[in-house]
Amino acid sequence: MKLVRPESDPVCDKFAAARKELSSALIERDEEVDLALTALVAHEHVLLVGPPGCGKSLLLDSLLAWTGGTKFSILLTKFTTPEEVCGPVSLAALKEDRYVRVTAGKLPEADFAFVDECFKASSAILNTLLKILNERVYDAGDGVVRKVPLKLCVGASNEWPSPDTGKELSALFDRFTLRRAVAPIRSQAGRQKLLWTRDHTPRLATTITPAEVEAARRTALALPWSAGAKEALETILRELAKEGIQPGDRRQFKTVGVVQAFAYLCGADEVLPEHLEVAQHCLWEDPAEQPQKAAQVIAKVANPVGMRVTQLLLETEQVIAGCDVRNLADAAKAAAKLAEIDRQLAGLRGNGRLEKARAYLKDQLRKLKLASIEAV
Ligand SMILES: Nc1ncnc2c1ncn2[C@@H]1O[C@H](COP(=O)(O)OP(=O)(O)O)[C@@H](O)[C@H]1O
Ligand SMILES: [Mg+2]
């Protein structure tokens, strides 16, 4: 029996609204927004890696401003102490010869956490961090292992951990089920928006409680997989193995939940092959070349709409960058290419990013025509 989602799902509507609001304020961060919201629904940790100043903190802070519950944010340096992450040792307890930390306001009590420069963690805090992120438990020092409320940890870093990094750092890297490189703004229009908008902070009309996040997770986990999507995932894993990419069993298993979460975010009532788009951020181990290969394999096997949109937008930028509007023949050729890209976009269905892409393309086409008219 196919499980059909109720007609109205207020929590899912909130996710859809936040998705729109975040990606319209942040420039060229649609995929990162999708990734962060998917992580939230899937209860998996997410890592963004990119050069300083490319909007990682703005996105992750905005996400955590949207969620209610207790939050914890920290910028790690190699001098960060366990006190700063887990709280100071209780002096009252010490007087009774007990060693326990007071964890109020710190990571062990957080529903949602943002760890900036996460790979700067010293070994003094790595072990605790690993336990909290992976097993979601913490021992304050009294030998009692307690469950932590953590639902999502978002991490940011300027660079990937180096391949010869220690075992603990690699383990931390592996704890992030979703991982993505963030690139600087590419498009001309994006650059203008960056320069001439004084405040890029997203304004979110709603907030979401930990209980609602939990409800979203349950609904997402109950979404059935279509036969096509199941088969596509299995094919993707086989194709990746041929390319020498073999994500571990835990990673493969977790990917299933992540794809369901993305399907939920897209408002679908079953998982379709196109929702496998998000798996490109899960199904690899080595950041050097594997993410691109994983994306290619997924695009080939599952042909997700979102990946086609991204590809077509890249082509759009190339056409615009390579066009001299003063040369009429050149401008006409570029306009024809843009119109062809629009036809391809028009043939796609059902992705939140599609409408925005078409509006953008129409706008570029209009500008191109105006510029070439002015030039003559
Ligand atoms: N893609 C973007 N969209 C909107 N604003 C951006 C973007 N990239 C950079 N900015 C601007 O630059 C500022 C610095 O970005 P920030 O999030 O602190 O970068 P990071 O954490 O990646 O180092 C932001 O507050 C914002 O004003
Ligand atoms: Mg930052």
Side-chain angles (χ1 to χ4, degrees), residues 231-310:
E231 197 187 313
L233 178 57
E234 290 175 22
T235 311
I236 286 166
L237 290 172
R238 272 198 309 275
E239 293 292 316
L240 285 174
K242 282 189 211 155
E243 298 272 351
I245 304 175
Q246 276 172 303
D249 291 348
R250 179 178 55 197
R251 198 158 264 288
Q252 296 188 14
F253 174 71
K254 286 188 161 200
T255 302
V256 173
V258 168
V259 177
Q260 282 175 310
F262 184 56
Y264 172 88
L265 188 66
C266 296
D269 52 19
E270 65 175 341
V271 178
L272 300 172
E274 65 179 52
H275 300 129
L276 286 161
E277 171 187 351
V278 75
Q280 66 179 303
H281 308 299
C282 309
L283 293 176
W284 52 265
E285 302 280 2
D286 177 359
E289 285 165 9
Q290 294 188 350
Q292 291 88 328
K293 276 196 191 154
Q296 280 163 8
V297 167
I298 292 170
K300 200 176 81 191
V301 175
N303 195 17
V305 176
M307 289 170 93
R308 285 288 296 144
V309 171
T310 306

Side-chain angles (χ1 to χ4, degrees), residues 25-29 50-59 61 114 116 156 158 182-183 185 194 197-201:
L26 288 150
I27 307 153
E28 292 179 20
R29 293 291 168 261
C54 64
K56 301 184 293 297
S57 296
L58 187 58
L59 165 59
D61 284 334
F114 175 20
D116 206 352
N158 290 336
V182 185
I185 293 168
L194 173 78
T197 311
R198 279 298 87 193
D199 185 7
H200 301 105
T201 316

Side-chain angles (χ1 to χ4, degrees), residues 211-224:
E212 287 173 315
V213 171
E214 181 55 34
R217 175 163 97 127
R218 278 199 306 272
T219 312
L221 278 178
L223 289 184

Side-chain angles (χ1 to χ4, degrees), residues 324-346:
D324 174 6
V325 288
R326 284 158 307 182
N327 178 333
L328 265 190
D330 214 36
K333 228 197 257 161
K337 276 191 199 151
L338 291 186
E340 172 51 30
I341 292 176
D342 187 45
R343 261 192 296 283
Q344 294 192 32
L345 281 173

